[in-house]
Amino acid sequence: MTSRKTRNTTIRGIVVAALAVPSLILAAGTASATTDDIVTIANANLDHHACDTNSVGEQGYNSSCTGAGGSPENWCADFAAWVWAQAGYNVTGLTPAAGSFGQYGAGLHPDPHVGDAVVFNYNGDGYADHVAIVTAVNDDGTIESIGGNEVTNDPSTSSSHRDQYPGAVGDSPYWGMQISGYVSPTN
């Protein structure tokens, strides 16, 4: 009787552990999320508009299509957060405002990494002019990015677009804005 009781207790313990592991993995975020996924997803949505069908078959990027009272809103942050979320990263705290990236995770840092968000004209108090996704960091110090709400100043006609420019924090030729820093996605 003692060996049967021990065996049943052991089996119950294994079953409980087996059931707990998936819950722990889900709570920790997607373990397989990579910065390569971010680049792949951003590229798959290149040249799309705020209300286009995105690469997962839905309309727009978060509230990009309807956030301005049912019309397209300035959607650079919508695009960047959507890309990170599709890649499996935690986007809690990010909003349709570009400045929310300046307050995300560990905050801004000076060195670009593939998959980071590049934040422009961040005022340190939750406002920024623009945000885009870093898709390449080149040996010559330039970076490549894909950002939503680019090309035109009209959210309804703007698109996601690829750009290349110097990656150093400070003044940038990119739309005459200053690179305030970079933010890394978190799981």
Side-chain angles (χ1 to χ4, degrees), residues 28-182:
T30 305
S32 62
T34 69
T35 55
D36 289 341
D37 295 333
I38 292 171
V39 173
T40 299
I41 293 164
N43 278 317
N45 291 279
L46 190 59
D47 298 323
H48 288 199
H49 299 90
C51 298
D52 285 353
T53 300
N54 60 43
S55 62
V56 298
E58 298 169 351
Q59 185 181 29
Y61 307 93
N62 294 339
S63 59
S64 64
C65 190
T66 59
S71 297
E73 67 185 348
N74 288 317
W75 54 281
C76 62
D78 288 321
F79 180 80
W82 183 87
V83 168
W84 278 2
Q86 293 305 308
Y89 288 91
N90 179 356
V91 294
T92 302
L94 294 177
T95 71
S100 66
F101 281 81
Q103 299 174 323
Y104 171 86
L108 296 175
H109 57 81
D111 299 312
H113 305 283
V114 171
D116 282 358
V118 53
V119 181
F120 295 90
N121 292 348
Y122 180 64
N123 72 358
D125 195 28
Y127 178 82
D129 283 334
H130 190 60
V131 62
I133 299 289
V134 177
T135 57
V137 178
N138 302 314
D139 291 338
D140 65 359
T142 61
I143 63 169
E144 296 174 30
S145 68
I146 296 177
N149 198 44
E150 295 189 359
V151 183
T152 73
N153 289 326
D154 180 353
S156 64
T157 61
S158 64
S159 62
S160 54
H161 185 73
R162 181 186 324 275
D163 295 287
Q164 182 174 342
Y165 43 92
V169 170
D171 290 336
S172 168
Y174 182 82
W175 290 14
M177 292 187 281
Q178 183 178 50
I179 295 176
S180 300
Y182 300 88

